[in-house]
Amino acid sequence: MVFLLKQDINLETVSDMELNFESWMTDLERFATWEEEWIKQNQALAEISDRNHNVIEQLLQSGETIQLELGAGSEQCREGWTTVDMFPGCDLQLDLREPLPFPDESISMIYSSHVLEHFAYPQPMKNLLSECYRVLKKNGIFSVCVPNARIYIEAYLNPEKFESEKYCLYQPAYNYNSPIDYINYIAYMAGHHCHMFDQKNLLAILQNIGYSKVELRDFDPTIDLEARKHESIYAEAKK
């Protein structure tokens, strides 16, 4: 019996067994690596969640005016503002596609600069704007700045008057072949943009959320970036 088994297990069979074992060990190592990364990611998410909870509790218990800047990136905002973004380094690391973790009517002012164009309309943009409306206090202000797409549409119609070196600064998005690429630039921004605004469109979207007073505003040097002044629309919505 033993002799027969030895005869059956030839060199080709042994080689296949070795290959199968190596493959199994490789799969096991991959799973161990995946499990390790999964544990690390969950630990990091738990730490972010705890930190967010602590910051929000401190804000609510302080009794002071709460002002949020949405999409602030990793840059530290001016004094008196709480920065919100997915990037490390801001005060609150939040996914703006999800509900804002604040009680109803708890925020005095919300500001966003060149953020809304990264959200598709109607969703998730309407969800974000509705959340802003929910957490704002009565008479609270949503102040917003977005790129003015009309500049680029007029550039398509009158290309000889357009200053591309002034308005098309993000090189990965600017690939010029003909004037339609001025519109491609602002519409897609190398895959980062999802919506284009002009003045009427921005005001209409804010009005449809339910704000009591929506109007265009001037550039405000205390909150707006000078570098974006030439290409932006500014508006304010009051709850």
Side-chain angles (χ1 to χ4, degrees):
M1 181 67 174
V2 175
F3 174 78
L4 290 174
L5 284 174
K6 288 182 177 179
Q7 291 293 322
D8 290 340
I9 302 176
N10 55 36
L11 291 176
E12 184 176 347
T13 302
V14 171
S15 178
D16 289 343
M17 290 175 63
E18 289 176 345
L19 288 174
N20 289 335
F21 179 76
E22 290 175 1
S23 176
W24 180 79
M25 286 299 295
T26 300
D27 289 342
L28 186 62
E29 290 171 358
R30 287 175 179 170
F31 175 78
T33 301
W34 174 85
E35 184 180 34
E36 183 179 353
E37 289 300 316
W38 182 83
I39 292 172
K40 287 181 180 178
Q41 289 178 9
N42 277 272
Q43 289 175 339
L45 289 173
E47 291 173 2
I48 291 171
S49 179
D50 289 342
R51 185 166 62 250
N52 286 341
H53 176 78
N54 292 335
V55 170
I56 292 170
E57 284 299 307
Q58 289 174 9
L59 288 170
L60 295 173
Q61 293 174 12
S62 69
E64 299 178 357
T65 297
I66 301 176
Q67 300 181 121
L68 302 181
E69 180 178 357
L70 305 183
S74 57
E75 296 181 5
Q76 289 300 311
C77 192
R78 64 204 62 79
E79 186 177 353
W81 289 82
T82 300
T83 56
V84 181
D85 211 321
M86 295 180 70
F87 297 102
C90 56
D91 298 315
L92 291 170
Q93 274 187 265
L94 298 173
D95 183 346
L96 294 177
R97 295 168 297 183
E98 300 296 329
L100 296 175
F102 286 90
D104 295 355
E105 300 191 347
S106 56
I107 310 298
S108 297
M109 187 172 183
I110 298 175
Y111 172 73
S112 76
S113 175
H114 286 244
V115 173
L116 293 185
E117 66 272 14
H118 296 274
F119 290 77
Y121 188 88
Q123 302 300 353
M125 190 192 300
K126 286 182 71 174
N127 281 344
L128 172 59
L129 292 174
S130 296
E131 276 296 289
C132 291
Y133 183 88
R134 177 185 66 81
V135 302
L136 279 171
K137 294 180 177 180
K138 181 68 175 175
N139 297 319
I141 298 295
F142 178 73
S143 184
V144 61
C145 164
V146 296
N148 187 354
R150 182 169 182 167
I151 295 171
Y152 302 87
I153 295 170
E154 290 179 346
Y156 169 70
L157 298 173
N158 302 286
E160 69 282 355
K161 298 180 180 180
F162 186 61
E163 301 174 75
S164 60
E165 67 280 2
K166 179 180 179 181
Y167 292 99
C168 300
L169 297 179
Y170 184 57
Q171 289 303 312
Y174 185 54
N175 300 284
Y176 184 84
N177 292 292
S178 69
I180 192 65
D181 291 317
Y182 297 140
I183 297 178
N184 283 327
Y185 175 83
I186 195 63
Y188 302 108
M189 199 58 69
H192 296 294
H193 283 186
C194 299
H195 191 82
M196 293 195 298
F197 293 94
D198 65 5
Q199 293 180 343
K200 288 184 177 180
N201 183 251
L202 177 60
L203 296 181
I205 286 175
L206 294 174
Q207 288 167 348
N208 289 336
I209 296 298
Y211 289 96
S212 62
K213 184 179 181 181
V214 177
E215 58 187 0
L216 297 174
R217 66 169 177 83
D218 293 330
F219 170 82
D220 183 349
T222 65
I223 56 175
D224 298 318
L225 294 174
E226 180 71 31
R228 296 208 185 256
K229 182 179 179 180
H230 66 289
E231 61 177 357
S232 301
I233 303 169
Y234 302 96
E236 189 171 275
K238 182 179 180 181
K239 182 172 178 179

